[in-house]
Structure formats: C-alpha cells, structure tokens
Amino acid sequence: MEETYMREALKEAMFAGEAGEIPIGAVIVKDGTVVGRGRNCVESTKDPTNHAEMVAIRDACKALGVWRLSGCDMYVTLEPCSMCAGAIVLARISRLYIGTEDPKSGACVSLSSITTDERLNHRVELHVGVLREECSSILKEFFKELRKRPKKNLEEIEK
C-alpha cells in the first residue's frame, strides 16, 4: 500500500517537473483515500512557501474542513525541509512516508529531526526509503537536464 501512494506522489512530482518546477510531489491519505495533493509550484507562483508538502496540507485541510490532520498519512518524494517538517508537525499528520533523503536541507532525518523531536507537542511516525530509487532518479534527471540549459542572468530571472 505504501508504494501505491508514493506512486501518486511521484505523479505529482512528474507534473511539477514538466512545468519547470523542482519535481517533488506529495499526497495525503486518510482512511485509504487521497484527500490532498501537492507539487512544487514555487517558480510559477513566485511564492517560496508553495512546496509540495505545503500545497498538499492546504488541499487536505480544505477537503476535510479541518486544520488538524490526525489520522492522515503523508507521502512525499523528497525529505521535507524545516518549513515543511514544521507544518507537518503543526498539522498533526500521523505518519510520514519519505521517498528519498535530502542531505542538503532535509529536516526529518538528514540535518535535523523536527518531525520526531520529543520536545515538541506532536511527533510523526516516520518511514524513509519508500520507492527510494524512483524518487531519487526523478530529481537527478531533472537537475542533470537543468545543468545543460544556458544560465540566465539576474535581469532575465526577475522578469
């Protein structure tokens, strides 16, 4: 079952990549039903908080009509950053399934462990490595292609 939902998160990641975003996807599941979906859309929205996890949390809260996502599981293709890990804790998500670690900014197992920190009022049950190869390869391929593109100067980026 874990792989089924991670494949849904991978679909979201692929959509993000096709849109020119970093290909990260997330889904939130409650009682066997996907109640929230998210993909990175930072570039297209010019909003640094529009990470896949944040979008999925907002979507699930809207769908369920609550802000506490107790009993929900999140599946995300890349280890959440500190912002997203904090939001996962604040949303009271019960279980977090991570595809692959992020050694540069991961805040669940790599750089810190926000989601399991015993000092916080909520801890998340953590599962790492679900479809690790697929989740890792979609990111590696994206950045490999990105490095082939000509670099833009600052003026072009700000337009």
Side-chain angles (χ1 to χ4, degrees):
M1 201 50 98
E2 294 170 2
E3 291 182 1
T4 299
Y5 296 121
M6 189 60 77
R7 289 195 195 289
E8 289 297 313
L10 275 165
K11 286 180 193 175
E12 295 297 325
M14 289 190 289
F15 291 139
E18 289 168 3
E21 302 281 351
I22 295 174
I24 300 170
V27 296
I28 297 178
V29 177
K30 175 132 177 129
D31 300 327
T33 301
V34 174
V35 295
R37 292 179 175 277
R39 64 183 80 130
N40 268 8
C41 56
V42 170
E43 297 296 332
S44 61
T45 63
K46 307 293 186 243
D47 181 345
T49 68
N50 274 336
H51 289 193
E53 301 93 327
M54 301 295 283
V55 174
I57 288 170
R58 289 182 196 119
D59 193 41
C61 289
K62 184 177 179 183
L64 298 173
V66 298
W67 67 266
R68 285 185 182 96
L69 298 176
S70 302
C72 289
D73 302 337
M74 177 182 275
Y75 295 79
V76 63
T77 57
L78 182 67
E79 179 183 357
C81 69
S82 56
M83 173 184 69
C84 295
I88 289 164
V89 169
L90 291 172
R92 311 296 198 274
I93 289 174
S94 298
R95 285 166 294 283
L96 176 62
Y97 296 86
I98 297 170
T100 191
E101 297 89 345
D102 183 354
K104 292 185 178 182
S105 63
C108 298
V109 293
S110 296
L111 298 180
S112 61
S113 52
I114 292 171
T115 53
T116 56
D117 191 320
E118 292 185 10
R119 296 170 295 177
L120 299 176
N121 66 331
H122 177 75
R123 280 160 300 290
V124 181
E125 183 181 313
L126 199 56
H127 303 269
V128 181
V130 180
L131 298 179
R132 178 179 274 124
E133 284 304 312
E134 292 92 325
C135 293
S136 178
S137 69
I138 191 173
L139 286 159
K140 286 178 183 174
E141 188 61 32
F142 176 81
F143 285 110
K144 180 179 164 186
E145 291 300 315
L146 189 64
R147 284 189 287 277
K148 290 180 184 177
R149 296 182 198 160
K151 294 196 181 201
K152 293 181 179 180
N153 62 36
L154 188 57
E155 292 81 32
E156 290 178 80
I157 293 170
E158 291 179 344
K159 286 182 183 177

